[in-house]
Amino acid sequence: VEFGKVKAVIDQKCTLCHNAQVQQKNVALHTNDLIRQHAQSVYQQVSVLKLMPLNNATQITDEERALIKRWFDAGAKTH
């Protein structure tokens, strides 16, 4: 899984609430290092539990959720 595609989804669907200024639940996802640090949580919340984005506010698709799952299953590489 190409990390660039995963990062694009995270940038579009997650960083509105998880960035340098706003860190809901103490999670920030605006850098590759932070994405790697929170990979387990991103996978759990987005792909397994499907709780994030809250009320699907940013309208993440099932395909985007599956992309994040494949990325995590492949080792959650950020380079």
Side-chain angles (χ1 to χ4, degrees), residues 13-64:
K13 309 294 180 166
C14 307
T15 58
L16 186 68
C17 296
H18 301 284
N19 58 63
Q21 291 75 37
V22 180
Q23 297 181 14
Q24 295 292 336
K25 299 194 176 195
N26 294 319
V27 174
L29 300 170
H30 57 282
T31 70
N32 292 2
D33 287 341
L34 288 167
I35 292 169
R36 182 173 37 250
Q37 177 184 334
H38 295 291
Q40 175 79 37
S41 295
V42 170
Y43 164 70
Q44 283 289 119
Q45 295 295 316
V46 173
S47 298
V48 178
L49 301 173
K50 297 184 179 176
L51 295 174
M52 290 289 122
L54 190 60
N55 298 321
N56 202 14
T58 57
Q59 301 176 355
I60 194 169
T61 66
D62 288 340
E63 293 80 18
E64 290 166 331

